Amino acid sequence: MKIIFATNNTHKLNEVQAILGPEFELATPRMVGITEEIPEEQETIEGNASQKAHYIHERTGNNCFADDTGLEVEALGGAPGVHSARYASDGHDFEANNQLLLRNLDGVGNRCARFRTVISLILDGKEHLFEGIVEGHIAQCPSGNEGFGYDPLFIPEGSTKTYAEMSAEEKNALSHRGRAVRKLVEFLHNRSK
């Protein structure tokens, strides 16, 4: 099955393709002629995922899905949350986002956080939502060179390593996006039986 994934982030694309497996062929917006920035103007993670999926579907009429992810830090009232990608600036500046997060947590004892991903799938014109959550905490300083975003700072519950210290396989096995994508895959497999 060919399905459009509303991202041009190659890290994210590779992560999701690895979980989906060979029976699904992912296309990016660029591959189907959508070169403009896909809007993310909602105030919730669910809202952004839904807006992106509808944007792609309205332009192509094809089955598609979009995700949105937020890092929700307890001591910061759930911030950066829906603003995770643009926490420190308008661009996706991972380094600046991480530095701002560490500054905002300076001297704070409670470092509990969770990563939350919501996927909006539009299949045959109908929307379906899937959520993946991983509890954990924020490290005192960045560690590791794998992954992207807040991966060098986030230590999932039950692990001593940040996401950035894990191999792609290790991270996919327990990540928030992995959990949401597995729900998506299970739904798609059940539909195709």
Side-chain angles (χ1 to χ4, degrees), residues 133-135 154-159 161 163 166 168-179 182:
I133 296 174
V134 173
E135 303 287 342
F154 185 76
I155 301 171
E157 213 168 63
S159 178
K161 297 197 276 191
Y163 274 166
M166 298 178 182
E169 293 76 24
E170 287 177 296
K171 182 185 171 189
N172 284 342
L174 54 85
S175 81
H176 47 289
R177 187 172 294 108
R179 290 177 181 185
R182 280 189 287 281

Side-chain angles (χ1 to χ4, degrees), residues 11 93-95 97-98 115 146-153 164 171:
H11 292 289
D93 187 337
F94 300 145
E95 179 70 26
N97 289 342
N98 285 328
F115 257 124
E146 299 300 317
F148 60 100
Y150 296 96
D151 288 358
L153 292 178
K171 182 185 171 189

Side-chain angles (χ1 to χ4, degrees), residues 19-78:
I19 299 165
L20 279 174
E23 60 269 35
F24 296 95
E25 182 190 341
L26 290 182
T28 65
R30 280 193 195 109
M31 290 176 185
V32 296
I34 298 172
T35 55
E36 67 271 22
E37 190 77 21
I38 299 169
E40 296 179 69
E41 303 157 335
Q42 305 307 305
E43 286 304 309
T44 64
I45 291 168
E46 295 86 350
N48 273 344
S50 182
Q51 181 179 20
K52 290 189 281 188
H54 281 283
Y55 186 87
I56 297 293
H57 186 261
E58 285 163 13
R59 278 149 188 78
T60 66
N62 294 330
N63 293 332
C64 63
F65 68 94
D67 76 321
D68 199 41
T69 295
L71 176 66
E72 300 171 337
V73 180
E74 199 173 280
L76 301 177

Side-chain angles (χ1 to χ4, degrees), residues 61-186:
N62 294 330
N63 293 332
C64 63
F65 68 94
D67 76 321
D68 199 41
T69 295
L71 176 66
E72 300 171 337
V73 180
E74 199 173 280
L76 301 177
V82 72
H83 305 291
S84 291
R86 295 173 178 83
Y87 189 43
S89 68
D90 284 343
H92 291 70
D93 187 337
F94 300 145
E95 179 70 26
N97 289 342
N98 285 328
Q99 292 308 315
L100 179 60
L101 180 62
L102 287 175
R103 277 197 306 278
N104 289 341
L105 287 175
D106 190 34
V108 175
N110 175 7
R111 299 180 82 84
C112 292
R114 69 179 190 169
F115 257 124
R116 192 161 70 92
T117 292
V118 175
I119 293 175
S120 167
L121 167 70
I122 299 180
L123 188 66
D124 302 325
K126 189 166 184 230
E127 183 176 28
H128 309 272
L129 295 175
F130 308 92
E131 181 180 59
I133 296 174
V134 173
E135 303 287 342
H137 66 275
I138 303 300
Q140 296 291 332
C141 60
S143 186
N145 299 309
E146 299 300 317
F148 60 100
Y150 296 96
D151 288 358
L153 292 178
F154 185 76
I155 301 171
E157 213 168 63
S159 178
T160 57
K161 297 197 276 191
T162 67
Y163 274 166
E165 293 175 301
M166 298 178 182
S167 69
E169 293 76 24
E170 287 177 296
K171 182 185 171 189
N172 284 342
L174 54 85
S175 81
H176 47 289
R177 187 172 294 108
R179 290 177 181 185
V181 170
R182 280 189 287 281
K183 290 177 184 176
L184 167 75
V185 169
E186 186 181 350

Side-chain angles (χ1 to χ4, degrees), residues 2-14:
K2 188 169 184 173
I3 191 162
I4 302 167
F5 180 19
T7 187
N8 288 308
N9 178 326
T10 53
H11 292 289
K12 207 186 271 193
L13 187 71
N14 293 338

